Amino acid sequence: MGQDETTTSWLREGGKGGVEHYTYEQLAEFQKSSQWRYDRDYYDLSQTKLATSMPALTLDHLSDHSRKKTIWYFVICMALKAMYDAGEISLTDASIGLGKAALQAKMNEIESKRHNIGVKIQGFTDMNTRELPCPKTIRTKFSTLRRFGYNLLSLAPGWYRATKVGAKFDEETEVIVLRLIREIASREMNNKAEIAREVIKRLIKLNLERADEGVAPLGVPSQRTVERRISSMNQAELYAIFHGVPAARKEFALSAGGIAKQFLIDRIEFDECEMDLITYFSKLGIYDCLPDHVKKSLPHGRRWFCCAIDTRSRVILGIRVAKNPSAEEAIKLLRMVVRDKTDIAKAMGAESPWPFFGGLGTVACDTGSAFASDEFISAVTALGGTMFFPTVKVPELRAEIERVFGTLNSKLLIRIFGRAFHKPSARGDYDSEGRAILDDDDLTRILTIFFVDFYHHHQHTGLDFQSPADCWEELEKKYFVNAPPDRHTIRSAVGISMQRKLSKRGIVVFGNHYTCPELQEYWHSHANRQMRIKVDPHDIGAISILIGDTWVTADSLDCDLDGVHLANWVAEFREIRTHNKAKSELSSELRERALKNIDAICHSAALRAGVGPHDLTKEQVLKLQGDLFHGTTFKPRPDIGSPSGEPELMGQRFETGTALKSSNVPPQPEKEGSDDPIDTTQPTANPTLKLEDK
């Protein structure tokens, strides 16, 4: 309901009672819970109308065929918009029909990039092309997409709306209503409800005059009908009436998104470029000790730099150093945008924090293969963002991100050995390969320190000489910043998907059991045991499971893996396997010791790898699950044979049974994926006894 500098006020939906107040610290604690949910635009009428009309909430809920078809229509619409913005076509069936050949050629070029990522197109390369639909279908799809603010979900198949048939007025009434709207609307009278009420009053007065003259009265519409007529008018004309012609000209100029934004993270620009720098493709801890002929034989070359920037404050929301552009690298960069990166900054050696993050707004990208891929578009949509592709070959429409690359070359690379140049004349006789001394780890550290400690605190001419960090802090206090998506939403949107088999103890992933009440209910009511799950390598404390058409969160059975990075867990797990080669089921004591060792390991190594090109890929994660963790799980904690921590009514409770037997009995190995792993142990001979039992 409201907020101030220290407290927020909330009214519980559907409940009876007063207003509840929570501090920002309390909200931060709530967000750490795996049960936290944040439904963005929950009370936005336009989004609610769209959500209630759609057969699915995100593209990930659709079948592969429907998802590809939806994205195909979206790419067509954005290509049509690019031609429309360039003045090459108009939004009529006749014009689209005449320009269909040019649109088909543009789509063939886009599709060849989207579906041949990393493939060198040669004469014998198979090119899969699809014919465009008829002009009417293209126009209808584009109109639907634009009406819902370029929300990709509005193009999902199966969303059919019946034609509304209501009371219609005669042509004279319609003309008079529109004339009255134009007469009444002004800069002062700019409220639709007030305009509608005034129109109805004048219609009633006009009917009285017509009755005196013996003329049939006009139909009097309802207030809501008049408001709909106002909404259906030319929006540029309405804006000119309400705010003036100069303001309307500026607002509706065909700049394709070049207008400056007012709020933080309202518009985020993504881009990538090949760095003008030669580095070694490895970690060189002993480089100085190597002979010259070995140094020359080490693999080296130019890496790709991926970046995301908030166009309002100019702060950098995420960076990646990649081997090559790919959808996977773009998604990893997207994940950095919605999280606090202070821990990464500290791990890289930066002195300043990196607390710039929030919920996605408009995501503006070029039509490169990484950003135009189905995976990236689906991830942006699932995280609440809106994809937008400005007109290609017009860098002014993405000026902020393009300026970052210029700043990188002019202020950082000139200080680094091994610099490559954008043209031979600028390079001269400089030996870029011979003077290269940095490796991938050095490069990621230098880039992080440069942006976190230098760029964010340097005066920016585009901000009236205010630094990006100061601009963010000022706007954060003045306006509300969209809250970032919760852990469950991030995991279900950008997590790695795999298939696992359900058992009574839940689902086994990376040697750990995960379960939740929804999964237990599913076990009793369904026969299908193959489940689709998503895991986040940065946090294996929980996984997301697709039950029906809903993603649910399943926590680790022991609830002790929150925040543990998969890379750290793999390193410790290998050491455990080395000492326990003969055992296929490990005790939970070993697991607890492993987690303590993980906490002792310097977490900065995993954080640095998460920014550089040596981060775990999807193929590597799936291979680890299939090889390293295959057939290995942990026993539940023993709770038999030891006094219970809870006092009984008549003294202390003791349990007897299997714990009293010899501890030399070897553990029963568990076969991963079995339907009933708990029943493999022998039943106890002695029951649990209590003094109060009869």
Side-chain angles (χ1 to χ4, degrees):
M1 294 183 62
Q3 64 184 59
D4 54 24
E5 296 181 355
T6 59
T7 310
T8 59
S9 302
W10 304 78
L11 180 63
R12 189 176 297 276
E13 185 179 23
K16 297 180 180 180
V19 177
E20 301 180 20
H21 304 280
Y22 298 98
T23 63
Y24 292 103
E25 290 76 11
Q26 291 174 319
L27 291 179
E29 290 297 325
F30 294 158
Q31 294 176 9
K32 295 179 181 179
S33 172
S34 62
Q35 303 300 321
W36 171 268
R37 295 292 181 273
Y38 173 65
D39 294 334
R40 183 171 169 189
D41 297 328
Y42 183 81
Y43 291 102
D44 189 339
L45 295 180
S46 62
Q47 297 297 328
T48 303
K49 179 181 179 182
L50 177 63
T52 56
S53 304
M54 290 297 300
L57 297 179
T58 64
L59 290 180
D60 202 46
H61 293 132
L62 299 175
S63 63
D64 291 341
H65 175 74
S66 299
R67 179 170 57 86
K68 292 179 179 180
K69 185 176 181 181
T70 301
I71 297 178
W72 162 247
Y73 278 131
F74 178 75
V75 176
I76 292 176
C77 292
M78 298 312 295
L80 177 65
K81 184 181 186 305
M83 296 180 64
Y84 175 73
D85 292 341
E88 301 173 2
I89 201 171
S90 62
L91 301 180
T92 62
D93 293 347
S95 179
I96 294 175
L98 293 175
K100 189 174 180 180
L103 183 61
Q104 180 72 63
K106 185 182 290 292
M107 286 302 303
N108 291 342
E109 180 182 357
I110 295 175
E111 287 296 289
S112 64
K113 293 180 180 179
R114 293 177 64 237
H115 298 291
N116 294 281
I117 300 175
V119 177
K120 184 178 181 181
I121 300 178
Q122 300 177 355
F124 52 83
T125 303
D126 294 332
M127 302 293 292
N128 297 323
T129 60
R130 289 180 280 187
E131 293 293 331
L132 293 176
C134 67
K136 182 179 179 181
T137 300
I138 297 176
R139 177 179 56 79
T140 303
K141 294 293 183 181
F142 181 75
S143 176
T144 301
L145 183 67
R146 186 168 61 174
R147 185 167 65 254
F148 285 98
Y150 293 94
N151 192 324
L152 188 142
L153 292 175
S154 62
L155 300 179
W159 180 43
Y160 303 106
R161 298 178 59 191
T163 302
K164 294 183 178 180
V165 179
K168 293 185 177 180
F169 301 99
D170 57 274
E171 184 176 353
E172 183 182 7
T173 303
E174 294 286 352
V175 172
I176 293 177
V177 167
L178 293 178
R179 176 174 60 82
L180 291 175
I181 291 174
R182 290 185 174 91
E183 292 177 357
I184 297 171
S186 64
R187 293 194 180 188
E188 292 75 21
M189 182 69 75
N190 55 11
N191 184 277
K192 292 182 180 180
E194 293 296 330
I195 295 174
R197 283 192 283 267
E198 186 64 24
V199 168
I200 294 174
K201 290 179 181 179
R202 294 196 183 186
L203 279 177
I204 295 175
K205 181 179 179 180
L206 183 59
N207 280 337
L208 295 177
E209 297 175 357
R210 292 169 68 95
D212 295 339
E213 298 173 359
V215 182
L218 299 171
V220 179
S222 65
Q223 178 180 330
R224 184 71 186 106
T225 301
V226 178
E227 292 177 7
R228 284 196 295 267
R229 295 297 188 273
I230 298 174
S231 299
S232 63
M233 291 177 61
N234 185 284
Q235 295 302 304
E237 179 185 1
L238 277 179
Y239 201 92
I241 295 174
F242 292 160
H243 305 283
V245 175
R249 184 181 297 112
K250 181 179 179 181
E251 178 67 18
F252 290 88
L254 296 179
S255 57
I259 301 175
K261 302 299 179 182
Q262 181 180 6
F263 306 106
L264 294 174
I265 317 189
D266 192 19
R267 176 185 169 95
I268 308 169
E269 292 182 356
F270 284 69
D271 206 352
E272 58 199 6
C273 73
E274 193 173 18
M275 297 193 66
D276 293 336
L277 185 69
I278 304 297
T279 58
Y280 288 96
F281 298 163
S282 59
K283 297 181 178 180
L284 305 178
I286 57 173
Y287 178 80
D288 295 333
C289 302
L290 298 176
D292 293 338
H293 71 280
V294 175
K295 294 180 181 179
K296 295 180 180 179
S297 64
L298 293 174
H300 57 277
R302 298 169 64 180
R303 290 296 194 191
W304 283 81
F305 173 63
C306 309
C307 182
I309 186 174
D310 171 40
T311 59
R312 179 60 183 90
S313 64
R314 305 299 203 277
V315 301
I316 302 301
L317 299 174
I319 60 173
R320 292 282 305 174
V321 177
K323 299 177 182 178
N324 292 295
S326 65
E328 186 172 358
E329 290 293 338
I331 291 175
K332 290 178 180 179
L333 177 60
L334 183 67
R335 193 189 188 284
M336 292 187 68
V337 173
V338 297
R339 62 157 293 188
D340 187 354
K341 297 163 283 291
T342 300
D343 53 349
I344 297 178
K346 292 182 179 179
M348 295 294 181
E351 298 180 9
S352 304
W354 198 357
F356 313 123
F357 66 102
L360 297 182
T362 300
V363 177
C365 309
D366 58 17
T367 55
S369 58
F371 302 121
S373 62
D374 294 355
E375 295 81 0
F376 183 77
I377 296 175
S378 299
V380 171
T381 306
L383 291 175
T386 300
M387 282 298 303
F388 181 69
F389 294 107
T391 305
V392 297
K393 298 182 180 180
V394 184
E396 293 82 4
L397 301 182
R398 293 179 293 107
E400 287 80 6
I401 190 65
E402 296 292 345
R403 185 60 255 169
V404 170
F405 299 142
T407 302
L408 189 68
N409 287 322
S410 63
K411 296 187 180 298
L412 176 63
L413 297 187
I414 60 174
R415 303 173 178 271
I416 300 178
F417 292 97
R419 182 187 181 191
F421 296 84
H422 61 283
K423 56 183 180 179
S425 60
R427 176 179 177 180
D429 59 353
Y430 183 82
D431 186 7
S432 300
E433 296 183 359
R435 297 180 65 86
I437 59 174
L438 301 180
D439 61 15
D440 289 331
D441 187 60
D442 295 331
L443 179 59
T444 54
R445 292 178 60 191
I446 288 175
L447 288 173
T448 303
I449 293 174
F450 172 76
F451 284 111
V452 174
D453 285 342
F454 177 80
Y455 172 82
H456 285 164
H457 301 279
H458 188 268
Q459 289 182 339
H460 199 293
T461 56
L463 300 173
D464 295 332
F465 298 97
Q466 188 181 27
S467 69
D470 292 340
C471 181
W472 177 282
E473 183 179 359
E474 177 183 335
L475 293 176
E476 191 176 25
K477 294 178 180 179
K478 186 176 181 181
Y479 301 110
F480 174 76
V481 180
N482 286 328
D486 54 73
R487 294 166 54 192
H488 170 76
T489 302
I490 295 175
R491 185 169 50 249
S492 59
V494 303
I496 297 175
S497 178
M498 62 178 67
Q499 295 284 339
R500 303 298 296 160
K501 189 175 182 180
L502 176 63
S503 66
K504 284 187 176 181
R505 268 164 59 182
I507 291 179
V508 180
V509 189
F510 308 133
N512 304 302
H513 287 87
Y514 296 85
T515 187
C516 62
E518 294 86 353
L519 193 62
Q520 296 169 2
E521 182 179 352
Y522 181 89
W523 167 268
H524 292 290
S525 58
H526 294 77
N528 182 24
R529 297 295 184 249
Q530 290 295 331
M531 307 296 294
R532 182 186 174 191
I533 69 170
K534 283 194 174 184
V535 298
D536 183 5
H538 294 79
D539 182 6
I540 61 173
I543 63 175
S544 295
I545 306 174
L546 184 62
I547 299 180
D549 59 353
T550 304
W551 289 99
V552 299
T553 298
D555 295 318
S556 175
L557 196 59
D558 291 332
C559 299
D560 52 9
L561 294 173
D562 282 347
V564 176
H565 197 287
L566 178 59
N568 286 344
W569 176 240
V570 168
E572 189 62 29
F573 193 87
R574 292 185 193 275
E575 184 177 350
I576 295 175
R577 286 287 296 269
T578 302
H579 294 85
N580 298 275
K581 292 182 179 180
K583 297 182 180 181
S584 63
E585 186 179 42
L586 311 178
S587 65
S588 60
E589 287 83 359
L590 282 176
R591 174 182 184 151
E592 293 176 357
R593 290 198 300 270
L595 292 175
K596 292 180 180 179
N597 291 334
I598 288 176
D599 294 336
I601 295 175
C602 180
H603 191 54
S604 61
L607 292 172
R608 288 196 299 268
V611 179
H614 301 290
D615 193 12
L616 290 174
T617 63
K618 177 180 179 180
E619 290 74 13
Q620 291 173 335
V621 172
L622 296 177
K623 184 175 178 60
L624 285 172
Q625 173 58 39
D627 295 343
L628 178 63
F629 296 102
H630 179 70
T632 306
T633 57
F634 290 91
K635 289 181 181 179
R637 290 189 177 94
D639 54 358
I640 302 177
S642 58
S644 172
E646 298 181 0
E648 296 294 328
L649 182 61
M650 298 179 62
Q652 188 73 27
R653 166 186 170 188
F654 289 84
E655 297 179 347
T656 62
T658 56
L660 300 180
K661 297 181 180 180
S662 174
S663 59
N664 297 326
V665 179
Q668 296 294 328
E670 174 189 327
K671 294 182 179 180
E672 183 180 328
S674 60
D675 289 341
D676 191 359
I678 298 180
D679 293 337
T680 57
T681 58
Q682 296 297 327
T684 59
N686 300 322
T688 300
L689 301 178
K690 299 180 183 179
L691 294 178
E692 64 269 29
D693 290 340
K694 295 182 179 180

